[in-house]
Amino acid sequence: MPIEFVCKIKFAEGDEAKGASTDGGGTGMLDEGLQRRKGGMADLSSFASSSSLHGLARVLGTSGRLGFRQTLWGLALLVSLSLFLYQATWSTATYLEHPHLASLREETHRELTFPAITLCNVNRFRFSALTDADIYHLANLTGLPPKSRKGHRPSELQYPPPDMLDIFQRTGHQLEDMLKSCNFSGQNCSSEDFSVVYTRYGKCYTFNGNKTSPKRVRQGGTGNGLELMLDIQQDEYLPIWRET
């Protein structure tokens, strides 16, 4: 009589889950990747909803999907950002140019203070007033040879130290010799109305240089200001100025 053996195997629930995981390994990895992607979009949507950048939450939304409305919001955000960058760049470039604005306005006064005017002859030293000692001391400024035929001999080189103020005062052009006519606001003036000043041009003369009591004029135009006729004494010019 044949004997039949029946063998029954019972798996535990944990073993069945392990077998299912083993059989569907590829599907499990795909599901895990999708879950990570959904988690990243969720984090990005959460950041957008809490961000202070206007419109970012509208672009990403709460679902993380990019639809027609989100596309419009994205375009609006990009255009706004481009305009902001353009305006910021233009403002920075304008600031670096250091522009300035001058505001002018017209005021009416019965009297105006006449400005101080300084006259200087381009020739600082009169040729006829220079001595051999002056030429010796001013060799770098004049470039002139000695007037004496003997020249600067060793016995004559005992010149006293130069006094530049005295040289400018003595050899400079004298205003009383240059001034031929002077008229200020219809009244005659003379060299006494000028004060002596020394500049890099030598001996100069300033009209209306008194700051405590400056001269005033009531109207402008010809005949109401300062009119001068001067003789520049060109025959006294040094050779360097005669050529020019």
Side-chain angles (χ1 to χ4, degrees):
M1 181 177 182
I3 300 175
E4 183 181 357
F5 292 94
V6 179
C7 181
K8 295 183 179 180
I9 301 176
K10 185 177 182 182
F11 293 94
E13 294 180 358
D15 296 335
E16 293 177 356
K18 185 182 295 184
S21 177
T22 304
D23 295 340
T27 306
M29 293 179 62
L30 181 59
D31 293 340
E32 184 178 357
L34 292 175
Q35 290 179 0
R36 290 181 179 178
R37 183 177 179 182
K38 290 181 179 180
M41 292 298 296
D43 294 339
L44 189 58
S45 299
S46 177
F47 167 76
S49 61
S50 61
S51 176
S52 60
L53 181 61
H54 185 71
L56 186 60
R58 299 287 186 178
V59 175
L60 298 177
T62 56
S63 61
R65 297 179 180 179
L66 187 62
F68 178 73
R69 181 177 297 179
Q70 286 78 10
T71 303
L72 292 180
W73 273 101
L75 291 176
L77 182 62
L78 290 177
V79 171
S80 301
L81 183 60
S82 301
L83 292 176
F84 165 73
L85 293 177
Y86 170 77
Q87 185 176 8
T89 304
W90 178 81
S91 300
T92 303
T94 304
Y95 173 76
L96 294 178
E97 291 178 358
H98 303 287
H100 58 277
L101 178 63
S103 179
L104 301 178
R105 62 178 182 179
E106 183 178 352
E107 296 183 356
T108 303
H109 294 277
R110 294 183 178 180
E111 291 183 346
L112 292 177
T113 302
F114 193 78
I117 298 178
T118 301
L119 304 176
C120 298
N121 199 314
V122 69
N123 184 62
R124 288 182 288 183
F125 311 103
R126 288 179 296 141
F127 180 74
S128 61
L130 291 173
T131 63
D132 284 346
D134 296 333
I135 295 175
Y136 174 77
H137 293 306
L138 302 176
N140 295 332
L141 298 178
T142 62
L144 294 175
K147 291 184 177 181
S148 175
R149 295 181 179 180
K150 298 179 181 180
H152 298 299
R153 295 185 177 182
S155 59
E156 299 177 354
L157 292 181
Q158 302 298 324
Y159 295 125
D163 184 355
M164 295 304 298
L165 182 60
D166 175 70
I167 294 177
F168 279 116
Q169 174 67 26
R170 178 169 43 83
T171 64
H173 290 268
Q174 307 302 317
L175 183 61
E176 54 269 19
D177 298 332
M178 293 190 299
L179 188 61
K180 300 302 179 182
S181 175
C182 179
N183 185 283
F184 175 74
S185 190
Q187 297 181 358
N188 294 329
C189 52
S190 63
S191 59
E192 297 180 357
D193 296 310
F194 292 79
S195 57
V196 178
V197 292
Y198 295 95
T199 68
R200 62 189 182 94
Y201 295 103
K203 187 177 183 180
C204 302
Y205 304 91
T206 299
F207 178 81
N208 195 27
N210 190 352
K211 297 182 180 180
T212 57
S213 58
K215 297 182 180 297
R216 297 178 179 273
V217 292
R218 295 186 177 182
Q219 58 183 354
T222 305
N224 298 306
L226 179 64
E227 296 180 355
L228 299 175
M229 181 180 293
L230 299 172
D231 178 12
I232 63 173
Q233 298 180 326
Q234 190 172 356
D235 55 328
E236 292 283 1
Y237 277 29
L238 299 180
I240 185 175
W241 295 119
R242 289 179 184 175
E243 297 176 357
T244 58

